[in-house]
Amino acid sequence: MPQKKRESIIVFGSHSDDFVIGAGGAIANYAQDGKKVTSIVFSHGEKSHPWLKEKVVQDMRSKEALEASDLLGCKTDIYDLGEMKFLEHYQERGLEKELLKKINKEKPTKIFTHSIEDPHPDHKAVYQITLDLYEKLDFKPELYVYSVWNPVSFKTNWPSLYVNITKTFSLKLKALKSFRSQKVHVAYPFLLLLFRAIKNGFKIRTLFAEKFFRIK
Ligand SMILES: [Zn+2]
């Protein structure tokens, strides 16, 4: 009897900590449920430490991202697109082909990415990259967006997905602490995360939740 393939989920993020901020609790939940979660990080964010050699920063960042991934129970692939040059480098390096191959092989049931409402240019770029990839996939998984810098509530007709992260919220915070060198989102407001988690939790009558919009 062939073994049933583990359900797979992919989370895209611009910088090394985005997947944790946006979906860390859900990732840990899915992993604990036995699903295979892969996060794809597009940039180390090397500009944050201009006085250090790029290579040193990349190694540091990779180490931090892998530490966070271990805590959440996911696997992380890191690419090295230059900050604010995502689309340019993405094209130059022919990353589309590689990612299409990876996603088509992985056949995730869900893909998570940045929101179009996020004002950060690198986040917008990854949103665009995800949508372009989505159109070219051999199959159509559910596509969700998460929040990093966009306002907590905006008007939309997209259906929401609430994930109860009551049992994984502390893990998410612990994973965020792995990014000791992170300046891109230096000290991402802890209170904002907490406020968001409680507000979303209230909606589904749990202590903490993460909210996503399904856009496809
Ligand atoms: Zn980011």
Side-chain angles (χ1 to χ4, degrees):
M1 283 271 287
Q3 262 204 331
K4 199 169 171 283
K5 198 175 156 273
R6 264 207 299 166
E7 187 178 337
S8 171
I9 289 168
I10 293 184
V11 184
F12 286 102
S14 302
H15 312 104
S16 50
D17 58 352
D18 287 323
F19 69 100
V20 184
I21 295 171
I27 290 172
N29 264 20
Y30 290 135
Q32 288 177 10
D33 287 348
K35 298 180 171 90
K36 179 182 177 192
V37 189
T38 309
S39 89
I40 293 176
V41 170
F42 285 84
S43 171
H44 293 88
E46 74 276 6
K47 277 218 180 70
S48 57
H49 292 66
W51 61 93
L52 288 178
K53 281 215 171 64
E54 208 170 285
K55 178 80 173 61
V56 176
V57 177
Q58 290 192 354
D59 289 350
M60 205 157 73
R61 283 293 162 70
S62 306
K63 212 175 139 251
E64 292 170 355
L66 298 181
E67 221 177 283
S69 310
D70 279 349
L71 283 166
L72 300 178
C74 67
K75 178 180 158 282
T76 295
D77 296 337
I78 308 179
Y79 294 94
D80 59 344
L81 303 189
E83 279 174 282
M84 305 296 182
K85 293 206 172 100
F86 272 41
L87 295 175
E88 203 180 314
H89 288 173
Y90 179 74
Q91 304 259 319
E92 274 171 25
R93 294 173 199 180
L95 208 56
E96 177 177 272
K97 208 173 148 207
E98 190 180 328
L99 286 175
L100 276 176
K101 203 174 144 198
K102 187 182 288 213
I103 303 168
N104 278 327
K105 186 173 165 239
E106 207 51 58
K107 291 238 178 331
T109 53
K110 292 181 175 67
I111 295 179
F112 292 86
T113 192
H114 287 285
S115 163
I116 179 100
E117 311 255 342
D118 194 314
H120 194 300
D122 290 344
H123 295 185
K124 274 196 191 314
V126 165
Y127 168 83
Q128 198 49 57
I129 287 171
T130 314
L131 249 76
D132 289 350
L133 284 169
Y134 188 89
E135 293 310 320
K136 293 175 182 163
L137 290 177
D138 300 343
F139 66 106
K140 296 297 170 202
E142 297 169 5
L143 183 58
Y144 295 92
V145 292
Y146 59 76
S147 307
V148 177
W149 290 123
N150 41 312
V152 228
S153 58
F154 51 87
K155 296 277 172 275
T156 171
N157 293 320
W158 293 316
S160 326
L161 166 70
Y162 286 93
V163 177
N164 178 358
I165 59 161
T166 304
K167 64 176 177 165
T168 54
F169 187 58
S170 62
L171 215 50
K172 171 175 177 161
L173 296 182
K174 206 170 159 200
L176 261 185
K177 283 196 191 131
S178 308
F179 298 96
R180 290 169 294 270
S181 78
Q182 187 59 279
K183 284 274 171 64
V184 180
H185 305 123
V186 63
Y188 185 87
F190 169 79
L191 281 176
L192 178 59
L193 266 190
L194 185 67
F195 170 74
R196 243 182 222 173
I198 292 174
K199 182 170 169 274
N200 293 332
F202 186 72
K203 280 274 184 194
I204 54 166
R205 294 161 193 270
T206 62
L207 198 48
F208 301 120
E210 275 170 351
K211 181 189 188 181
F212 307 96
F213 289 110
R214 182 171 175 187
I215 59 164
K216 293 267 183 190

